[in-house]
Amino acid sequence: LYLDRKDYTSGAVLAGVRRSEALVICGGDTARAVAKYLGASGVRIWGEAARGVPWGCWVGGASHGKPVATKAGGFGEPDTLV
């Protein structure tokens, strides 16, 4: 699922996020928008999938306990998510 800034308010895209069993989110603005939509208060970090790619589970909200990984949009290797 690719979520661009213009899609933050798209009901269809956000409904897909809510049904997901796990998410990989790129970009801090996108991660904050998804967390807000889900009603999550944060992410409990379990580890690092790659340098600069923390992973864990949502805390609170509609996806509480489901896995999530985030990657900053502004840095990292080009093949990190390949």
Side-chain angles (χ1 to χ4, degrees):
L1 174 65
Y2 174 76
L3 184 66
D4 192 291
R5 286 185 184 168
K6 69 180 182 286
D7 296 323
Y8 285 171
T9 58
S10 167
V13 170
L14 292 175
V17 166
R18 188 177 291 261
R19 288 190 308 269
S20 296
E21 290 301 318
L23 290 172
V24 175
I25 305 171
C26 297
D29 290 342
T30 304
R32 281 186 290 280
V34 171
K36 181 178 178 179
Y37 172 75
L38 293 173
S41 61
V43 175
R44 178 170 292 116
I45 303 298
W46 292 337
E48 199 172 44
R51 189 171 86 53
V53 184
W55 69 281
C57 68
W58 291 112
V59 176
S63 291
H64 180 78
K66 290 185 179 180
V68 60
T70 62
K71 183 200 173 297
F75 67 88
E77 300 300 318
D79 62 348
T80 297
L81 298 178
V82 177

